[in-house]
Amino acid sequence: MSAFGHVVSAELFKVLRKRRTYVVAGLWWGLLPILTLTAGQLLQTNLGGSFVDEGGSVSMVVQAVASPFGLARIALVGPAYLSPTFYIIVAALFAALLIGEERSQSMWKTVLVAQPNRMAVLAGKVAVAMIVVAALLLGALLASVLVGAIGMTFLPTTWAGEWGALFRLYAVQWTFMLAAVTFSFLMVFLTRNVALGMVLVFFLPALLEGLYSLYALAVGFQPVNRLNVFFQTLQLRQTLEDLPRYFFTNNLYFPARSPVTDLIAIFGDIDGGGGSPMGAIPGLLGGGVTLSHAALVMVGYIVVFGTILAWRFAQHDVD
Amino acid sequence: MRAGMHAITASSLTKRYGRTAAVDAVSFEITPGEIVGFLGPNGAGKTTTLRMLAGLIRPSGGEGRVLGARVPSATLREVGTMIEEPSFYPYMSGRDNLRHAALLHGGVPPQRIDELLAFVKMEKAATKRVKAYSQGMRQRLALARALLWRPKVLLLDEPTNGLDPVGIAEIRENLRAVARGGVTILVSSHILGEIEKLVDRILAIEKGRLVFDGPLDRLLASLDAATVRYVLRATDGALLLDALRGMGLEGEPAGDDGALVDVALEHADELVGELVRAGVSVIEARRHEGDLEDAYLRLVQADARPS
């Protein structure tokens, strides 16, 4: 086995002995689908057959949220809409375990003697984080299907759904998570402090994106004024307006958030309104972002974060 | 390893932090199978040197070689270390910590873990979480971990630090057993008596510079050749010290009625006669055994460099 393989097996051994692994899995695999199924059951028992159930609209909603497909979709979408998102929490927690703990427990001097190939150590740790994310996503999918199947025994739900598309979204979200993992590893490693690193992982993207909002508020409105004339003159305005398309979070969660349009469409139909069923949703998804655009942006982030991380790790003096 | 190759080589090994040289152009060679004591007070540069040799920090100048290859290199896989405080994953048992290290290194058969747990007498505590371990248990487990992959070179930094006399004796016995297997050992300590009985060569470092490199007996002989330390006791301690001052010697009080004094070798046989002539009733006058601790301290204090 190669040095990389040794690191992967050792770090998996470690991850499986850490309680947080099972807590995270329990939340994602157990709590989320059960709560969602319970919500579906409440909808069905309280609203099914009532005046709002004209045309079977309650059954449609119950199918959307509590069927095996619906639960599996929510297991992908839901974690992307927490704040901070469950995805980034997972990335930060396992970065803290896999790379932050080596410093907090003074383990680098042991790890890098047992395995002096530093690039193999770093690559192995990133690979284990990705394996954990894959296992969590797969487990969430399977648990949702299982809970949904149980729900079929007492709810009017079926197996219907675009399973192929959903599986692809799971797979793409998993690959996008490499950006979150490298970002988390970088923050935890650079700050040399697990708590500070995790805080930065959670809030740095939001802070930077918040600064942009401040800009938009201050200088981004019409007509030309003393503040935004500067940007107009430098012809930076268009560039700055395009920036949200490259924001980390807008692109990172694109696969997980994209099924929201389907959910909103269902609610739009129930509403019966003539307007766009999407409403404000494009804003939530990051306007103008497509899957191929998001993939390219993620590759860019992975390359930048990964390069800095590898460079700093190779240079690191274990003191 | 090629015939004639040194197990460890330091060539002008230097580590600077800003303008301060933690290790300043240290050079030495250690042949395979040698057991070398690396002595120096806290902050002298021992740990920094060991860390450079283990590939944990990059030298600012010079180079370290282990088993013929410049560090860092794949030969570091043949090295076992105990650097400073032993550290472990506290939520894992002692056995699981060893298993993790074995997996990380690769090529360690599972029975090797049991063998080493028995070697350091840790079989009964092996399933307990490390956070419940005493300092002595941690030190012994760290030694077991350092030996997991049957290293050809051991770099040990203060392996008996914080241990009681029983623990020190146990670690020393373990190291003796390892040394009999032909492993090259570089062991640092600031408590010289601990390694005096283990090593046959001394590297002494002070303020980042190597101040002595040679066999243990040469260190003692080289210092004894210049002066002799006497332990004196008299009926009147104050009179004894006054008499020594009158002879141009600076006595160091030892208890109420005694003194330690360094005398030039050529005048040593005249000491007691002179004291008696000065009216001192000498109860005891014996030559102080020049142990390693004294020799080293005198070496450092005099800034002598007999190497």
Side-chain angles (χ1 to χ4, degrees):
Chain A
M1 198 190 290
S2 66
F4 172 77
H6 292 314
V7 177
V8 169
S9 60
E11 294 304 283
L12 277 175
F13 178 82
K14 186 171 83 178
V15 162
L16 291 173
R17 271 149 191 81
K18 195 71 177 176
R19 193 178 302 156
R20 80 179 58 161
T21 307
Y22 302 98
V23 171
V24 169
L27 287 172
W28 208 345
W29 299 355
L31 195 62
L32 181 61
I34 289 169
L35 281 180
T36 314
L37 183 70
T38 307
Q41 165 72 357
L42 286 173
L43 276 173
Q44 179 62 35
T45 51
N46 291 329
L47 300 178
S50 71
F51 71 96
V52 294
D53 195 16
E54 288 175 22
S57 54
V58 170
S59 298
M60 280 175 61
V61 173
V62 171
Q63 171 70 19
V65 297
S67 68
F69 179 81
L71 285 172
R73 182 167 53 187
I74 284 173
L76 177 71
V77 174
Y81 278 106
L82 298 170
S83 184
T85 68
F86 196 67
Y87 288 106
I88 204 73
I89 290 173
V90 166
L93 281 176
F94 286 93
L97 171 63
L98 290 164
I99 203 161
E101 193 181 61
E102 310 299 20
R103 180 173 175 80
S104 63
Q105 303 292 346
S106 297
M107 286 300 288
W108 282 127
K109 64 187 180 190
T110 301
V111 169
L112 294 178
V113 166
Q115 186 47 262
N117 184 340
R118 290 194 179 199
M119 285 306 104
V121 169
L122 184 61
K125 283 172 176 284
V126 170
V128 168
M130 289 304 290
I131 290 169
V132 169
V133 171
L136 288 171
L137 278 167
L138 186 63
L141 175 66
L142 294 176
S144 300
V145 170
L146 179 66
V147 171
I150 294 167
M152 284 168 67
T153 61
F154 54 88
L155 287 173
T157 52
T158 67
W159 288 101
E162 293 177 30
W163 288 98
L166 187 65
F167 292 156
R168 276 195 295 279
L169 287 176
Y170 266 89
V172 174
Q173 185 59 57
W174 174 71
T175 59
F176 279 28
M177 280 299 288
L178 183 56
V181 166
T182 51
F183 174 62
S184 304
F185 270 52
L186 182 63
M187 289 297 111
V188 171
F189 186 72
L190 285 186
T191 56
R192 298 183 169 207
N193 179 302
V194 174
L196 181 61
M198 288 179 74
V199 167
L200 285 178
V201 170
F202 294 153
F203 300 113
L204 189 62
L207 178 69
L208 295 177
E209 291 162 20
L211 286 175
Y212 173 83
S213 303
L214 199 65
Y215 148 78
L217 191 69
V219 299
F221 54 80
Q222 297 287 357
V224 174
N225 57 39
R226 285 177 185 170
L227 285 168
N228 67 16
V229 71
F230 171 73
F231 294 93
Q232 301 265 8
T233 307
L234 292 174
Q235 296 184 315
L236 288 172
R237 189 184 177 98
Q238 189 57 48
T239 308
L240 289 169
E241 284 180 353
D242 280 346
L243 265 183
R245 297 181 66 232
Y246 300 92
F247 280 171
F248 185 63
T249 47
N250 280 353
N251 292 283
L252 174 63
Y253 306 119
F254 184 83
R257 288 177 177 177
S258 58
V260 168
T261 52
D262 302 335
L263 285 169
I264 296 303
I266 291 164
F267 285 95
D269 286 348
I270 292 165
D271 184 46
S276 164
M278 298 296 286
I281 297 309
L284 284 173
L285 293 172
V289 175
T290 61
L291 186 60
S292 57
H293 168 87
L296 276 175
V297 172
M298 284 295 100
V299 168
Y301 277 114
I302 290 164
V303 168
V304 171
F305 295 149
T307 304
I308 299 171
L309 179 63
W311 172 61
R312 292 303 304 153
F313 191 72
Q315 300 290 313
H316 175 55
D317 274 353
V318 180
D319 46 23
Chain B
M1 190 163 55
R2 293 195 304 272
M5 182 190 291
H6 294 290
I8 303 171
T9 308
S11 306
S12 299
L13 202 56
T14 301
K15 183 65 182 179
R16 293 184 176 279
Y17 294 102
R19 290 183 178 179
T20 307
V23 176
D24 191 1
V26 165
S27 298
F28 58 82
E29 289 163 343
I30 298 175
T31 53
E34 238 186 325
I35 306 168
V36 178
F38 197 26
L39 304 182
N42 289 330
K46 303 185 299 292
T47 302
T48 307
T49 304
L50 291 177
R51 281 176 188 272
M52 283 192 280
L53 291 171
L56 296 175
I57 58 177
R58 291 161 302 145
S60 310
E63 65 172 29
R65 285 181 176 270
V66 171
L67 301 170
R70 185 175 180 165
V71 173
S73 70
T75 57
L76 286 174
R77 286 176 55 76
E78 307 288 338
V79 176
T81 62
M82 277 175 77
I83 306 270
E84 289 188 315
E85 281 286 296
S87 51
F88 298 94
Y89 298 113
Y91 52 87
M92 281 194 212
S93 68
R95 179 185 294 279
D96 280 351
N97 267 282
L98 294 188
R99 282 181 69 191
H100 178 264
L103 287 168
L104 202 53
H105 186 275
V108 179
Q111 62 271 25
R112 176 71 176 153
I113 292 171
D114 295 320
E115 190 183 312
L116 283 168
L117 286 169
F119 176 67
V120 296
K121 301 184 178 70
M122 288 283 291
E123 308 103 305
K124 286 180 185 168
T127 52
K128 281 186 189 169
R129 288 188 180 182
V130 168
K131 63 184 172 188
Y133 281 13
S134 68
Q135 178 73 9
M137 292 161 84
R138 284 166 173 263
Q139 296 278 30
R140 281 186 281 153
L141 190 66
L143 180 61
R145 185 172 58 195
L147 297 171
L148 266 175
W149 40 89
R150 298 184 190 280
K152 292 177 181 161
V153 172
L154 268 182
L155 302 174
L156 307 174
D157 186 18
E158 312 268 4
T160 55
N161 208 10
L163 296 185
D164 59 19
V166 176
I168 291 171
E170 282 176 356
I171 290 278
R172 194 189 293 139
E173 279 310 307
N174 289 151
L175 290 179
R176 278 205 188 105
V178 172
R180 282 195 290 273
V183 176
T184 307
I185 302 177
L186 177 59
V187 53
S188 85
S189 182
H190 66 280
I191 304 171
L192 313 183
E194 285 176 16
I195 56 171
E196 184 180 357
K197 295 163 190 165
L198 182 71
V199 304
D200 39 31
R201 180 180 157 203
I202 296 288
L203 297 171
I205 189 169
E206 167 69 3
K207 293 176 183 166
R209 296 186 68 87
L210 203 64
V211 293
F212 181 84
D213 178 359
L216 188 57
D217 52 0
R218 202 180 102 207
L219 174 61
L220 299 172
S222 65
L223 288 154
D224 282 349
T227 59
V228 178
R229 170 160 282 207
Y230 269 91
V231 180
L232 301 169
R233 272 200 322 127
T235 52
D236 186 338
L239 183 62
L240 172 64
L241 289 170
D242 283 345
L244 288 171
R245 271 193 290 275
M247 294 159 61
L249 299 171
E250 198 56 49
E252 181 187 324
D256 292 338
D257 58 353
L260 293 169
V261 64
D262 293 327
V263 186
L265 190 60
E266 63 267 29
H267 300 303
D269 55 350
E270 302 160 11
L271 178 66
V272 175
E274 289 285 329
L275 286 171
V276 171
R277 275 193 287 281
V280 178
S281 299
V282 177
I283 300 170
E284 181 186 4
R286 63 181 167 82
R287 186 173 162 178
H288 185 261
E289 289 300 320
D291 64 10
L292 188 57
E293 184 88 28
D294 280 349
Y296 174 69
L297 287 174
R298 287 155 72 191
L299 170 73
V300 171
Q301 283 162 4
D303 204 23
R305 298 200 173 136
S307 64

